[in-house]
Amino acid sequence: GDVPLSRIPLRPFPGTATEKDVIAALEAADKRLFELVDGTLVEKTMGFKESRLAARLVYLLMAFVEPRNLGMVTGADGAIRLMPKLIRIPDVAFITWDRLPDRKEPKEPIPHLAPDLVVEVLSKSNTKAEMARKLRDYFAIDVRMVWYIDPKARTLRLYTGVKQSVLLHETDTLDGGDVLPGFQLPLRSLFPSGGQS
């Protein structure tokens, strides 16, 4: 996906990495986040602004999901196995209880899950090819909705399929659709006030 080489470590050598390497990186002193794509570790980078936005969205989603007992919301270090040799770390994810084994929180560090909703907050190091690949990966495992948030443009692109999307601006209101019925979020409340970038 044209990922900058600075995000791909040479140890383990690209093509030879495993899930154990992802877990080892999480448990290391510097706690770097790596996704696993075709046996290659790809660093998940997020700046201060992106982290703040993701944290705000986690807070808003939890405030909606938890009182209704709809499922679980995870944050920016919630790694999930989409399929063998493919681990993604969405910035935010929502999983209904029905998609969780025995309707319980998984115990393994990297569970095999298909979230209902996945959110990615775009950062400078993300490439178009990388994000297109992620989108295909998510919908291949039956993720129902994906939000790509662009903090710089102050927009959110809502996908219901690889080729089905709508672009929302900060003056629009996000609707949870069939995934989060009743969830409404004026996008202006998501982005930092004053339009600073």
Side-chain angles (χ1 to χ4, degrees):
D2 300 327
V3 173
L5 292 178
S6 60
R7 291 177 50 205
I8 300 174
L10 296 179
R11 289 187 184 178
F13 193 76
T16 67
T18 67
E19 186 170 317
K20 289 180 181 178
D21 296 309
V22 175
I23 294 170
L26 282 171
E27 294 173 348
D30 58 357
K31 295 187 184 292
R32 293 169 67 192
L33 297 176
F34 290 97
E35 295 183 319
L36 179 65
V37 184
D38 301 329
T40 300
L41 294 182
V42 179
E43 187 170 15
K44 174 89 175 179
T45 59
M46 181 180 273
F48 181 83
K49 181 197 284 190
E50 293 87 1
S51 176
R52 180 181 180 276
L53 198 152
R56 173 106 177 111
L57 189 55
V58 166
Y59 168 78
L60 294 168
L61 284 171
M62 288 181 74
F64 182 84
V65 167
E66 289 195 346
R68 294 164 179 82
N69 196 27
L70 300 176
M72 294 174 33
V73 177
T74 60
D77 51 1
I80 53 174
R81 185 185 323 105
L82 305 188
M83 54 187 73
K85 298 184 181 180
L86 182 59
I87 294 171
R88 292 294 186 189
I89 309 175
D91 295 320
V92 183
F94 163 65
I95 308 109
T96 57
W97 291 123
D98 289 341
R99 288 194 173 205
L100 291 163
D102 300 322
R103 298 175 62 89
K104 293 181 182 174
E105 183 175 338
K107 289 186 169 57
E108 60 266 50
I110 303 177
H112 181 76
L113 291 174
D116 295 83
L117 168 68
V118 163
V119 183
E120 295 280 357
V121 182
L122 305 180
S123 62
K124 288 181 182 178
S125 68
N126 291 133
T127 67
K128 287 185 179 181
E130 174 189 16
M131 300 315 291
R133 163 78 191 259
K134 283 190 180 194
L135 198 65
R136 292 192 304 271
D137 291 344
Y138 289 138
F139 283 110
I141 61 154
D142 293 326
V143 169
R144 297 169 61 199
M145 186 182 289
V146 175
W147 299 342
Y148 278 3
I149 301 175
D150 186 337
K152 187 173 182 181
R154 300 170 73 85
T155 58
L156 182 150
R157 184 167 290 277
L158 184 155
Y159 291 90
T160 53
V162 173
K163 296 183 179 179
Q164 294 85 41
S165 72
V166 61
L167 182 65
L168 302 175
H169 298 270
E170 66 176 309
T171 53
D172 295 323
T173 296
L174 173 65
D175 185 299
D178 294 339
V179 176
L180 289 163
F183 180 78
Q184 298 272 316
L185 176 63
L187 287 183
R188 183 169 278 131
S189 69
L190 185 60
F191 296 108
S193 61
Q196 294 94 359
S197 56

